[in-house]
Amino acid sequence: MIELEYVLFLSAVLFSLGLFGVLARRNAVMILLAIELMLNAVNINLVAFTVYLSPDLLVGIIFAIFIITVAAAELALALAIVLRLYRTRSSVNVDEVNLMRW
Amino acid sequence: MPLRDLYLLSPEISIVGVAFIIIMLDLWIERKGLLPILTIVLLGLPLGFTISLWGTEEQAFDGVLVVDTFSIFFKVLLIGVVTAVVIASQETAARFRRFQGEYYGLLLMATAGLMLMAATRELITIYLSLELSTLSAIALVAFFKDTRSTESGLKYLVLSGVSSAIMLYGMAMVLGVTGTSSLVEIAKAAPVSSLADNPALLLGVVFIVAGFGFKIASFPFQMWVPDVYQGAPTPVTAYLSVASKAAGFAVLLRVFYLAFGDFSSDWSMLFGVLAVISMSLGNFAAIFQTDIKRLLAYSTIAHAGYILIGLAAVASRVPGGEAFGPQGVLFYLTAYAFTNLGAFFVVIAIANKIGSETIDDFAGMSKRSPLLAGLLALCLVSLIGVPPAVGFWAKLYLFNAAVQADMVWLAIAGAINTAISAFYYLRVIKVMYLSPAPTEERVRLTPPIGLAVAMTTTGVLFFGIAPWFLLDFAIRATSGFPG
């Protein structure tokens, strides 16, 4: 079986990629996908901890299921807002979303 | 005993029920003006349940839900805040042609999430209640559907998504190290006595702070605050600045005292540093603002910094003694709720009439509406922390907690920042009282918003003159606090 360290490393890489995507991408939809990547990195972590460390306690897996559900709800809301953004500006580029600046 | 469990959960159940009733009634009722009145009347139900639970110290659902004076204190505070915001929302909501029921429903849903946040001892439930309140709040921020409101909604959504992902990563780490999601069990299962000895746990704790930092609007997750506050409907801004901060601090206190209480010497310094950075950053940025909502947004960041002093001052608790830090936090949050809601409500009352939120447009307000100008001045003076307003006592208790905890530098940093903040608060008062008015047209106070203004400003004055009423509740709410 693969060592736990490798799984954690994979999830850390995914999480970092997601964070990078949020910061670097300019398309609102791609930013949302990057957030999903971060959440799924967490899910990998949770499932890995459960499988490797405490197979008889399912709390990690239950947590992961809740995260998937909430992420779906969040994405539905997000897409509604992105759609509204597209209707008002005919673009989903976040560089143009800059009415308010300090 | 399942029925007893349901009774212990009844405040949350009933407030969600009220939300659904309001959304349904919106379909039938033609006169939309009845909706806020019905909401306020029905809010008596969760308030009644909450007050009837005062004094119980029980757990339900295997320790996931905890009903103690601490959680009830926050529930009463949150229901009070949402009631005031509903009253103040009337004119804003009347501008929507449709979906007024959803507006009030979402406010109640957000409150339900925040109430649950203050009353749980388990990581999964903390996450779920946090998301319930955040998602409702995002929908409320984007409710106007114009370009600004949508922009605010998008910014709020992306940053809340990132911060909750970071928080989840931290929770996953804690869960992996300790093998449990219950805060009480985490404290028992933590393998080391210092965070420095276990990098995974350290990473988890720091990442969890990041997630809650977003909710309370403290550094380093403060950059969403000005944009979201400016673009959102003003009553929603008022709600976010007070309610989500209160619940965020409730859950921070609960998590750090309960689960990581053994590492208090490690995180107390972390919160101390965050406090100083938050208040300095908020106060300096606020000096340059021209929009009153943005000014109050930066002041919110500064106040998150002041309240964090209470968390940093954990060492003020001697075993068996009084918990000055948590007491100060609870007192400050209540004082801040009255003061900041008051300030925002006056801004709503004025902006609804003059159609502008720029500070310069408030010029000569003392002539156009002596009452509103006076009340806004009172709230701003309370935000500075000058007696006889309640803000003075709030700051005094927190700085005292810092001194008791041998963190005098923190109290000094707070005092210096208070002096800086006086500059920009007083500038608003100066513009209102000394600048000439562009027109002589009077600004009148209309009944619903007037009621909300009266409720909050009375609180500011009353608790400013008689702070012991409030302090007594704060002491009782933190008496059973795990040391």
Side-chain angles (χ1 to χ4, degrees):
Chain A
M1 202 160 155
I2 308 164
E3 299 281 316
L4 175 61
E5 283 79 9
Y6 293 102
V7 184
L8 293 186
F9 185 70
L10 168 73
S11 115
V13 169
L14 273 183
F15 190 81
S16 314
L17 279 177
L19 193 57
F20 176 77
V22 172
L23 299 174
R25 289 283 180 177
R26 302 274 56 101
N27 185 318
V29 178
M30 296 309 281
I31 291 179
L32 296 178
L33 283 178
I35 293 177
E36 291 301 302
L37 206 57
M38 292 170 80
L39 290 177
N40 283 325
V42 174
N43 285 341
I44 292 179
N45 258 352
L46 286 169
V47 174
F49 280 136
T50 309
V51 172
Y52 284 89
L53 299 179
S54 52
D56 45 336
L57 277 174
L58 291 177
V59 61
I61 290 179
I62 294 168
F63 206 156
I65 291 173
F66 273 117
I67 292 176
I68 294 168
T69 319
V70 172
E74 196 173 343
L75 210 59
L77 185 61
L79 288 178
I81 290 176
V82 171
L83 206 62
R84 171 57 53 183
L85 195 72
Y86 184 77
R87 289 218 183 120
T88 49
R89 297 166 195 268
S90 354
S91 154
V92 289
N93 190 331
V94 287
D95 280 342
E96 293 164 26
V97 183
N98 56 5
L99 268 181
M100 291 171 286
R101 279 283 168 85
W102 61 311
Chain B
M1 209 165 121
L3 211 61
R4 180 75 186 162
D5 283 7
L6 285 182
Y7 173 60
L8 292 175
L9 192 60
S10 56
E12 286 86 357
I13 296 177
S14 56
I15 201 164
V16 171
V18 173
F20 280 121
I21 291 172
I22 295 298
I23 292 173
M24 296 293 253
L25 283 178
D26 185 33
L27 298 174
W28 286 304
I29 292 184
E30 287 296 320
R31 286 182 55 207
K32 303 296 181 198
L34 282 176
L35 284 174
I37 299 169
L38 273 170
T39 313
I40 291 157
V41 171
L42 288 174
L43 269 173
L45 207 63
L47 187 66
F49 278 126
T50 311
I51 291 173
S52 79
L53 285 169
W54 175 261
T56 35
E57 298 277 345
E58 270 182 75
Q59 300 184 15
F61 304 105
D62 281 336
V64 168
L65 180 82
V66 46
V67 178
D68 50 10
T69 43
F70 180 75
S71 65
I72 291 172
F73 181 91
F74 277 100
K75 285 179 194 179
V76 172
L77 176 64
L78 289 168
I79 295 174
V81 168
V82 79
T83 312
V85 171
V86 167
I87 298 174
S89 295
Q90 218 156 25
E91 278 180 52
T92 315
R95 275 188 263 157
F96 311 140
R97 261 188 315 116
R98 297 162 65 199
F99 307 125
Q100 284 194 37
E102 277 83 349
Y103 175 84
Y104 296 113
L106 282 168
L107 269 178
L108 298 181
M109 293 283 194
T111 312
L114 295 175
M115 282 162 71
L116 206 54
M117 253 168 90
T120 181
R121 268 189 193 169
E122 203 259 348
L123 291 181
I124 300 179
T125 320
I126 290 177
Y127 167 66
L128 285 178
S129 49
L130 190 121
E131 287 295 320
L132 173 59
S133 66
T134 309
L135 292 186
S136 317
I138 292 169
L140 282 170
V141 167
F143 214 88
F144 271 154
K145 298 191 198 157
D146 57 7
T147 37
R148 278 201 168 186
S149 184
T150 311
E151 179 180 332
S152 295
L154 184 75
K155 284 178 176 168
Y156 196 30
L157 181 112
V158 169
L159 284 166
S160 84
V162 172
S163 76
S164 69
I166 293 176
M167 181 190 71
L168 283 172
Y169 202 87
M171 285 182 173
M173 283 297 160
V174 172
L175 204 127
V177 172
T178 59
T180 171
S181 69
S182 152
L183 297 184
V184 185
E185 299 293 318
I186 287 174
K188 284 183 198 148
V192 286
S193 56
S194 166
L195 281 180
D197 299 338
N198 191 329
L201 202 58
L202 177 67
L203 184 77
V205 170
V206 172
F207 275 19
I208 288 178
V209 174
F212 295 143
F214 174 82
K215 253 334 208 189
I216 62 174
S218 90
F219 180 84
F221 276 88
Q222 89 294 350
M223 58 285 210
W224 61 277
V225 178
D227 288 356
V228 170
Y229 279 23
Q230 191 187 358
T234 316
V236 175
T237 309
Y239 179 77
L240 282 181
S241 73
V242 170
S244 83
K245 194 190 285 294
F249 271 105
V251 79
L252 261 182
L253 280 172
R254 185 94 74 188
V255 167
F256 279 88
Y257 273 71
L258 210 55
F260 307 124
D262 294 344
F263 313 126
S264 59
S265 53
D266 291 326
W267 49 258
S268 134
M269 191 50 81
L270 172 70
F271 283 129
V273 173
L274 285 183
V276 173
I277 300 178
S278 291
M279 52 195 177
S280 313
L281 197 115
N283 281 329
F284 274 109
I287 293 175
F288 305 104
Q289 298 310 316
T290 52
D291 183 295
I292 184 90
K293 270 162 88 180
R294 277 184 97 78
L295 182 129
L296 287 171
Y298 281 108
S299 113
T300 283
I301 299 171
H303 283 275
Y306 298 134
I307 306 174
L308 277 173
I309 292 179
L311 270 164
V314 57
S316 65
R317 185 186 175 92
V318 283
E322 279 192 284
F324 285 113
Q327 269 170 30
V329 171
L330 263 62
F331 188 93
Y332 202 110
L333 284 170
T334 319
Y336 185 68
F338 279 111
T339 312
N340 215 36
L341 283 182
F344 267 111
F345 291 165
V346 176
V347 170
I348 295 172
I350 295 176
N352 275 348
K353 293 290 180 294
I354 67 173
S356 163
E357 280 152 1
T358 312
I359 295 172
D360 291 339
D361 289 340
F362 283 33
M365 202 46 76
S366 60
K367 300 263 179 350
R368 298 176 70 183
S369 175
L371 179 66
L372 280 175
L375 291 178
L376 185 55
L378 170 72
C379 291
L380 293 176
V381 160
S382 176
L383 284 173
I384 301 173
V386 177
V390 67
F392 167 70
W393 300 105
K395 280 218 172 76
L396 187 69
Y397 286 128
L398 271 185
F399 294 169
N400 176 39
V403 174
Q404 300 285 344
D406 286 333
M407 295 176 110
V408 181
W409 58 277
L410 209 49
I412 292 172
I416 293 172
N417 264 288
T418 305
I420 298 170
S421 75
F423 174 74
Y424 61 85
Y425 290 129
L426 289 177
R427 187 167 55 105
V428 179
I429 298 178
K430 191 198 94 185
V431 168
M432 286 195 306
Y433 278 87
L434 298 180
S435 303
T439 62
E440 288 298 310
E441 192 194 344
R442 303 275 293 173
V443 175
R444 293 200 185 281
L445 195 57
T446 43
I449 186 86
L451 179 63
V453 170
M455 272 168 63
T456 45
T457 45
T458 312
V460 172
L461 263 185
F462 177 75
F463 291 121
I465 295 163
W468 50 86
F469 285 106
L470 190 53
L471 189 68
D472 191 40
F473 277 110
I475 290 173
R476 268 199 254 172
T478 48
S479 62
F481 217 78

